[in-house]
Amino acid sequence: NAGVMQNPRHLVRRRGQEARLRCSPMKGHSHVYWYRQLPEEGLKFMVYLQKENIIDESGMPKERFSAEFPKEGPSILRIQQVVRGDSAAYFCASSPWQGGGFEQYFGPGTRLTVT
Amino acid sequence: SQELEQSPQSLIVQEGKNLTINCTSSKTLYGLYWYKQKYGEGLIFLMMLQKGGEEKSHEKITAKLDEKKQQSSLHITASQPSHAGIYLCGADMDTNAGKSTFGDGTTLTVKP
């Protein structure tokens, strides 16, 4: 049973370009979470999605960031017009159940560098 | 303010020594998780605690959640270089939130 897959593992973008980060949850998991880890900081929640639904996006910056989890295919975190401050590690996690009380399985992360 | 406070921020110990990392909240926690992260990699799930007073062990690592469910400690006995990494506590601050809140992590270095 493959774990949570994220790609690419490393992404370099110039300021103003778009970044697309992909996350394939574990088989059987329909809940996906995106977290951001800035250098020297802990993980910060961004968004929680189920298939075709955004459940909680309270941690998403209001502009330039969007996320989706379509019926088919991976979850996508999209960052438009990237800026240097977007450089961070972006982690995706999945769980089989809604709500708390169940551990989330994390992917290896995508390290975004904005030059 | 930080909802989950982790201490210490970093720790350097000699191989073979014991150590403790703490995770504290001002709110009741509905689930407390410990993860380990190696630099540049993803998070590895270690343990989950849900009940007040609960204690779990895996190999040389023991985690406890206090009765009030506001503080957890992670204790490593006879540390080894393989224990080195960043330890993160995560918690469910709401009974049905789904998302986890994380502390800023504790960087552990074990000197051979």
Side-chain angles (χ1 to χ4, degrees), chain B residues 2 7 15 20 29 40 44-46 50 67 72 90 97-98 111:
Chain B
Q2 186 76 8
S7 63
E15 183 177 356
T20 301
L29 305 172
I44 299 167
F45 171 77
L46 296 175
Q50 286 187 288
E67 290 288 345
S72 178
K111 287 188 171 181

Side-chain angles (χ1 to χ4, degrees), chain B residues 71-87:
Chain B
Q71 183 169 9
S72 178
S73 60
L74 186 83
H75 185 77
I76 299 177
T77 305
S79 58
Q80 299 167 358
S82 61
H83 287 127
I86 301 168
Y87 289 83

